[in-house]
Amino acid sequence: MKRMDLRMLGLFVLLALPVVQGCACHSTEANEVGVLTRKFTLMGSRGVQPETYAPGATYFFFPPFSTDWDTFETKLQNLRMSAKADGEKGRTDDIEFKTVDGNDIAVDVTVAWRIDPAKAPHLMQKVGRTTLDVENRLVRPATRALVRDALNVLRSEDFYTADKRFAAAESARKLLEEALLPEGVIVEQVILQEHRFNPEYEKVIREKKLAEQTAEKLRSEAQAAAEEAKRNLESAKGTVSQKIAQAQGELEQTKLGADAELVRATNEATAILKEAEAKSKGIAKENEAMAGAGGRTMVKMRIAEALMGKQIIFMPSGGRSGATLQTMDMNQILTQYATSKSTQAASNGE
């Protein structure tokens, strides 16, 4: 039984050896996937095979006459459409269209895209056998149509505004993604680069932008001047407030000093008045005392003291012949005179 099995194994090897010797060897690079096409076969289905062969230097053996072997790059690709003439294409390739306000414009566009490895067999069937075929037959026509759709909703002046250009580029990317992702192409980014208007319109736009920049500069300067004036006003208000506060403080100090001086003068005047009243009362009491008998006696004593040691001369008066000598009561005269003077002094508050 064992000898029979060995004979069958040997016969199988002999029959398979010519087939193996006639197979071709294929491989994929690190950024490639392989697609197999069976032109005719005794077993299985003909045509493009649904499975993909993974990247990375793996070797596969297939009969050379009944199969075709193709590879697609899976790394990121850049489709550049520019006004600069392409050496291979011999023509400019920028995208031309009209803005929503009717001006002609041309834009350089770069699309970053890559092949979905799982969809490589589908691309092989529907588009072409190489990555370049996919770019020329699928990505480029879709880009030129859909990018126009995304950009021709902009006004001419919008191309001078970065935010609006970026928004339009993202809109174009989404349109391409919707169209190409089901076909096996992943669109990573749409980049809008240099744009060109008609030269005359470009001149008008530049002059308008320059005028707008000048106006904006003047507005900024006016605003800065207004802010400076506001700061100066606030500073002046602060200075005035400080001076008012200082003046109010000085006024309060002056009022306090005046009040203190008024109190002092009032107290002094009150004291003088009281002193004068007391003196007046004393004089009145003294006058009352002098008006009585004791006062007359005191006056006589003072007169007597004044006349003490003085010579008294009697002068004749009256009569025609001068023989009659009349005498005057000098004591009475002096007493009356002294009393009159004392009363006058009392009336004058002396």
Side-chain angles (χ1 to χ4, degrees):
M1 185 69 178
K2 290 182 180 179
R3 188 174 297 174
M4 187 65 179
D5 290 341
L6 291 174
R7 287 178 182 176
M8 291 295 294
L9 180 60
L11 180 60
F12 177 78
V13 171
L14 290 175
L15 292 174
L17 185 59
V19 177
V20 173
Q21 287 178 341
C23 289
C25 178
H26 301 287
S27 65
T28 56
E29 298 295 334
N31 293 315
E32 288 181 339
V33 292
V35 179
L36 181 67
T37 302
R38 297 185 186 275
K39 294 184 285 187
F40 57 87
T41 179
L42 298 177
M43 295 181 296
S45 60
R46 295 173 57 185
V48 178
Q49 301 303 295
E51 66 274 6
T52 57
Y53 292 84
T58 303
Y59 292 92
F60 308 98
F61 297 92
F62 302 106
F65 300 109
S66 62
T67 59
D68 286 332
W69 174 259
D70 297 283
T71 59
F72 291 92
E73 293 182 3
T74 57
K75 66 181 180 181
L76 192 67
Q77 307 291 320
N78 287 315
L79 170 60
R80 295 182 176 87
M81 292 174 287
S82 171
K84 295 180 180 179
D86 191 322
E88 294 180 0
K89 298 175 183 177
R91 55 180 168 77
T92 60
D93 202 31
D94 53 345
I95 297 178
E96 298 179 351
F97 58 96
K98 282 186 178 293
T99 61
V100 71
D101 50 341
N103 285 304
D104 294 322
I105 184 172
V107 181
D108 295 342
V109 179
T110 297
V111 177
W113 65 279
R114 58 187 176 86
I115 289 175
D116 182 358
K119 291 292 187 71
H122 175 78
L123 290 170
M124 181 74 183
Q125 280 184 313
K126 301 294 184 180
V127 181
R129 303 182 64 173
T130 65
T131 304
L132 185 59
D133 288 341
V134 174
E135 179 177 295
N136 290 334
R137 298 176 184 177
L138 180 61
V139 179
R140 184 176 178 277
T143 296
R144 297 188 71 82
L146 297 177
V147 168
R148 283 193 182 95
D149 292 342
L151 298 184
N152 62 16
V153 298
L154 297 178
R155 300 181 62 83
S156 301
E157 295 181 6
D158 294 341
F159 284 88
Y160 293 92
T161 305
D163 291 344
K164 292 184 178 181
R165 288 200 311 272
F166 293 152
E170 177 61 16
S171 177
R173 188 198 68 80
K174 290 180 179 179
L175 290 174
L176 286 171
E177 182 179 59
E178 292 175 3
L180 298 181
L181 188 60
E183 303 301 325
V185 173
I186 300 171
V187 179
E188 298 287 356
Q189 191 176 12
V190 174
I191 304 170
L192 303 182
Q193 296 169 309
E194 186 179 353
H195 63 274
R196 291 163 296 281
F197 286 101
N198 179 281
E200 291 299 324
Y201 183 76
E202 189 84 23
K203 180 181 178 182
V204 172
I205 288 292
R206 281 198 303 269
E207 290 176 352
K208 182 178 179 182
K209 288 297 177 183
L210 181 61
E212 289 176 350
Q213 291 173 1
T214 303
E216 184 63 29
K217 180 180 178 182
L218 292 176
R219 280 194 294 270
S220 298
E221 291 176 353
Q223 185 175 2
E227 291 296 328
E228 181 67 20
K230 185 177 179 181
R231 287 194 295 270
N232 292 337
L233 177 61
E234 292 300 325
S235 177
K237 286 182 178 179
T239 302
V240 171
S241 298
Q242 182 180 2
K243 289 184 177 180
I244 290 174
Q246 182 178 356
Q248 288 178 341
E250 293 175 356
L251 177 61
E252 290 297 326
Q253 291 179 355
T254 303
K255 287 175 64 179
L256 290 174
D259 291 343
E261 180 63 22
L262 177 62
V263 171
R264 186 194 65 76
T266 301
N267 292 338
E268 184 177 353
T270 301
I272 293 172
L273 180 61
K274 289 185 178 297
E275 182 181 358
E277 289 177 352
K279 185 181 291 186
S280 176
K281 289 179 180 180
I283 292 172
K285 293 292 184 182
E286 185 177 353
N287 289 339
E288 290 177 0
M290 292 293 291
R296 287 192 295 272
T297 302
M298 184 178 293
V299 170
K300 291 178 180 180
M301 290 178 64
R302 294 289 176 86
I303 293 173
E305 289 175 359
L307 296 176
M308 187 176 293
K310 295 194 173 49
Q311 185 177 4
I312 298 174
I313 299 174
F314 295 95
M315 303 260 330
S317 65
R320 296 179 177 175
S321 60
T324 302
L325 180 65
Q326 292 183 352
T327 61
M328 290 185 295
D329 189 349
M330 293 300 296
N331 290 333
Q332 184 180 359
I333 293 171
L334 291 175
T335 299
Q336 292 176 352
Y337 175 76
T339 301
S340 175
K341 286 293 185 180
S342 297
T343 304
Q344 184 178 1
S347 300
N348 293 333
E350 297 179 355

